Amino acid sequence: MTPKSIIVILSIIVILAGIYSIYASIKNTHQNHSQRKLKHRMIQKILGINGARVFYGFLGAGLIVFGLFMLFQFFVKPNLGNEYNNKTDNFVLVSNTISNDKFIMTSSLTTTLEQLKSTIKIVGNAKLDEYVQIDFNNNYLDNLPDIVWKMKNLKIINLTNNNILDLDIDKISKMDSLKTIDLTNNPISIEKINEIRANTTVEIKN
């Protein structure tokens, strides 16, 4: 018997046990067994008859949820695709901290759009000028957030594994420092990519 078969069997047993527990709670069948099973006597003594019925009802619901969760995790979730399984709200910002003729030291920050917007409200838009790279890998965005176009010193925009169909050529053209946009694994058309390449100096990776 394969591990998946064992998981299916155990999940079904747990779900059936949960259904029975709810049924027993509704019909109050545990009261009939109270003189024969010590655990039922103890529960009824502590919680009372009605409290015991509620307890078994919640226990049954918990077992059903757990069984369904196991089936979902092992059999449904793996088939939902990368967008469901790998999608994240986090992205990475890279900024230059020290720069001279010999070396450039950088620092990175993992954040979310809401966190970044909150930071900007406190410290001001000048903070955006520090960033030289932004990485939206696995964000599955439909479009590039407006705040990105305010990062005038960006050199690299990584949009790998997103749902980008279009990019504003005029906005790209105004990003004087921008050198590369990575559009690997995006549904944007090759015609649009060629249009961006023809009208800007930015390298487009796809």
Side-chain angles (χ1 to χ4, degrees):
M1 186 177 292
T2 65
K4 282 192 174 183
S5 298
I6 295 173
I7 292 171
V8 169
I9 293 171
L10 290 176
S11 298
I12 292 174
I13 291 173
V14 168
I15 292 171
L16 291 175
I19 293 172
Y20 172 76
S21 185
I22 292 176
Y23 171 80
S25 172
I26 294 172
K27 296 296 185 178
N28 200 21
T29 59
H30 294 296
Q31 185 179 18
N32 299 329
H33 302 307
S34 61
Q35 301 305 316
R36 292 190 288 125
K37 293 189 177 181
L38 177 61
K39 63 180 181 181
H40 297 311
R41 293 203 303 270
M42 291 181 62
I43 291 173
Q44 287 187 8
K45 186 174 182 180
I46 295 172
L47 301 177
I49 294 176
N50 290 332
R53 294 180 68 181
V54 172
F55 169 78
Y56 287 118
F58 276 108
L59 177 63
L63 289 172
I64 292 172
V65 170
F66 179 73
L68 292 174
F69 174 77
M70 292 293 290
L71 290 175
F72 175 82
Q73 285 292 110
F74 286 94
F75 296 97
V76 178
K77 185 178 177 181
N79 297 319
L80 292 178
N82 290 330
E83 182 167 352
Y84 179 87
N85 289 300
N86 299 327
K87 183 176 180 179
T88 177
D89 291 329
N90 295 326
F91 62 92
V92 177
L93 286 164
V94 178
S95 59
N96 284 344
T97 55
I98 299 176
S99 178
N100 58 37
D101 294 337
K102 295 183 179 180
F103 66 89
I104 297 175
M105 184 178 294
T106 62
S107 65
S108 62
L109 167 70
T110 300
T111 186
T112 66
L113 283 172
E114 292 304 315
Q115 289 171 346
L116 178 60
K117 290 176 182 177
S118 297
T119 299
I120 298 308
K121 285 182 180 179
I122 297 172
V123 302
N125 285 338
K127 180 70 176 178
L128 298 175
D129 294 338
E130 297 180 7
Y131 303 123
V132 296
Q133 180 175 337
I134 191 165
D135 185 346
F136 284 109
N137 186 34
N138 290 326
N139 276 226
Y140 290 92
L141 298 170
D142 296 320
N143 51 67
L144 199 57
D146 289 338
I147 196 169
V148 175
W149 303 117
K150 297 178 182 179
M151 301 178 187
K152 297 303 181 182
N153 292 319
L154 274 184
K155 296 179 180 179
I156 299 173
I157 300 176
N158 184 356
L159 291 168
T160 303
N161 297 331
N162 280 275
N163 291 323
I164 303 296
L165 287 169
D166 192 18
L167 286 174
D168 193 319
I169 294 177
D170 290 336
K171 289 181 179 178
I172 295 174
S173 300
K174 294 176 182 177
M175 302 287 285
D176 296 333
S177 299
L178 189 60
K179 298 184 182 299
T180 304
I181 300 177
D182 193 337
L183 286 166
T184 303
N185 291 332
N186 279 269
I188 189 169
S189 67
I190 189 63
E191 291 79 12
K192 186 64 182 183
I193 289 175
N194 288 336
E195 183 182 357
I196 297 172
R197 286 170 173 163
N199 290 278
T200 71
T201 59
V202 176
E203 176 189 8
I204 305 296
K205 294 183 178 180
N206 66 321

